[in-house]
Amino acid sequence: MTHRNIVLVGYRGTGKTTVGRLLAAKLGWTFADADEAVEAAAGKTITDIFATEGEASFRDREAAALAELCARSGHVIATGGGAILRETNRAALAAG
């Protein structure tokens, strides 16, 4: 099965979530925010993850969330600002 998604990448605060929601609505697709997926899976905010577990743990959680989101089809996905720094994330985004 070929997965077809649109992935929005950019620095934090540049409007990925805002544009993503609008684009998904226009296409009739589902919008997914990677940061929101991380928070939902962790049961805590990204700020709390950084404070209690550190950046490495957050990046691991982020990679897992992106892999799951990219396995879907018909999604507009907003990534976190640093998501593309990991090769595994870039590969998942390109494949999804």
Side-chain angles (χ1 to χ4, degrees):
M1 174 179 183
T2 300
H3 300 289
R4 199 175 101 186
N5 297 304
I6 295 173
V7 179
L8 303 176
V9 177
Y11 193 70
R12 66 179 175 191
T14 57
K16 298 180 300 287
T17 298
T18 300
V19 170
R21 288 185 197 284
L22 293 169
L23 181 58
K26 184 79 168 173
L27 295 172
W29 288 13
T30 302
F31 172 74
D33 184 290
D35 285 346
E36 290 175 5
V38 169
E39 289 181 336
K44 52 185 161 181
T45 67
I46 291 171
T47 301
D48 289 341
I49 295 168
F50 267 83
T52 60
E53 301 174 25
E55 182 176 1
S57 178
F58 166 74
R59 295 296 173 195
D60 291 343
R61 290 176 179 273
E62 179 181 57
L66 286 171
E68 193 274 324
L69 291 173
C70 289
R72 300 176 184 179
S73 217
H75 281 64
V76 176
I77 302 168
T79 66
I84 61 167
L85 299 177
R86 269 195 185 182
E87 173 57 35
T88 55
N89 292 346
R90 292 192 303 271
L93 296 170

